[in-house]
Amino acid sequence: MSLETTAGNYVQQLRHAGLRPGRRLVDLILACGDAAADPLIDLATSIPLLDEKPPVAYAPIHALRLLGELRPLRMVEPLLKKSADAAFDDLNHARAIWQQEMPQMIGRSGGSAVALLWTCVDDPNRSDIEHDMALLALAYATVIDEDVREPVVAGLHQRLMAGDNRTLNAGIVRAMAYLKLADMYGDVMARYRAGAVDQESMPAATARQMLLATATSRVADDAKLSLWERYDEFGPFPEPEDTEYQ
């Protein structure tokens, strides 16, 4: 049996893993290295599974998080393309986790993903959600790879000050707020006053609070969490329909 087949078989077991996969299964998948990347991408982007009953609903989350451990660069494009499929106004438990963590998992690739993410941000043919997810992933990348922080922050600032796409600017402000760029507060508020930021997507009051909050932690620091810390912090947590799988 080839390593690719073995890896695929292990990844399929995530469909029955329940709230969190066992350590042995995780170790077996990660030990397959790059051979596990494609089956993990396939499972992580199987968005309709998020609407299935547990334990299947959690399989794309497990796959997504394991991609964040392996960090194959080829996951960036398919994950971004599926972000619109995962987004709904009324997110269920599994969809909410996937949508929150997808840009974190891309961001865990650090500097190697930055060029791809800027390409997405600057592509006018991409959806608003793809733009937003790429911008958040850029913010997360800066806490994984400090060497890219300065150029990414400069890129965010330059695009905000020069761009006239109000929805895109709202995503840029959100990424800046995740990084708590308090020193850019004046420029951010100036763009709001100029009507250059969509307040429905990112209200000025929210931006102000996030940029100037006195707490030391940054939202983008969530990308640093280990695999098991992530399960402890963000779930998935038991729901009534999960009880038979605990």
Side-chain angles (χ1 to χ4, degrees), residues 29-209:
I29 292 172
L30 295 181
C32 292
D34 191 64
D38 288 337
L40 284 171
I41 291 170
D42 288 343
L43 184 55
T45 56
S46 296
I47 302 304
L49 294 182
L50 295 168
D51 297 322
E52 297 289 333
K53 293 182 178 179
V56 176
Y58 303 130
I61 297 170
H62 302 324
L64 179 65
R65 288 174 172 174
L66 288 171
L67 286 171
E69 298 298 305
L70 291 175
R71 308 179 192 189
L73 197 56
R74 62 184 182 276
M75 71 177 175
V76 174
E77 190 62 25
L79 289 176
L80 287 176
K81 283 186 175 298
K82 287 294 182 178
S83 59
D85 293 344
F88 283 91
D89 291 336
D90 185 20
L91 293 177
N92 65 29
H93 187 41
R95 280 182 180 268
I97 294 173
W98 195 98
Q99 191 76 352
Q100 173 181 311
E101 296 199 22
M102 185 275 284
Q104 294 181 33
M105 298 305 101
I106 293 177
R108 284 175 62 82
S109 297
S112 63
V114 166
L116 287 172
L117 294 169
W118 279 132
T119 297
C120 176
V121 170
D122 294 333
D123 184 351
N125 295 317
R126 298 282 192 147
S127 69
D128 293 339
I129 293 175
E130 287 176 272
H131 286 154
D132 283 349
M133 294 298 104
L135 286 163
L136 292 180
L138 282 166
Y140 289 122
T142 69
V143 303
I144 297 297
D145 187 350
E146 287 287 342
D147 289 342
V148 304
R149 178 178 171 84
E150 184 174 344
V152 166
V153 169
L156 292 171
H157 182 261
Q158 185 273 329
R159 286 166 174 81
L160 176 65
M161 302 308 292
D164 57 5
N165 183 326
R166 297 176 69 252
T167 304
L168 181 62
N169 284 344
I172 293 172
V173 170
R174 185 178 296 105
M176 297 170 87
Y178 270 40
L179 292 171
K180 291 192 63 178
L181 301 180
D183 57 325
M184 295 186 179
Y185 172 76
D187 285 344
V188 170
M189 290 300 117
R191 295 303 281 159
Y192 274 104
R193 289 192 295 273
V197 183
D198 180 9
Q199 291 229 41
E200 289 190 13
S201 300
M202 186 64 178
T206 301
R208 183 181 298 110
Q209 181 180 16

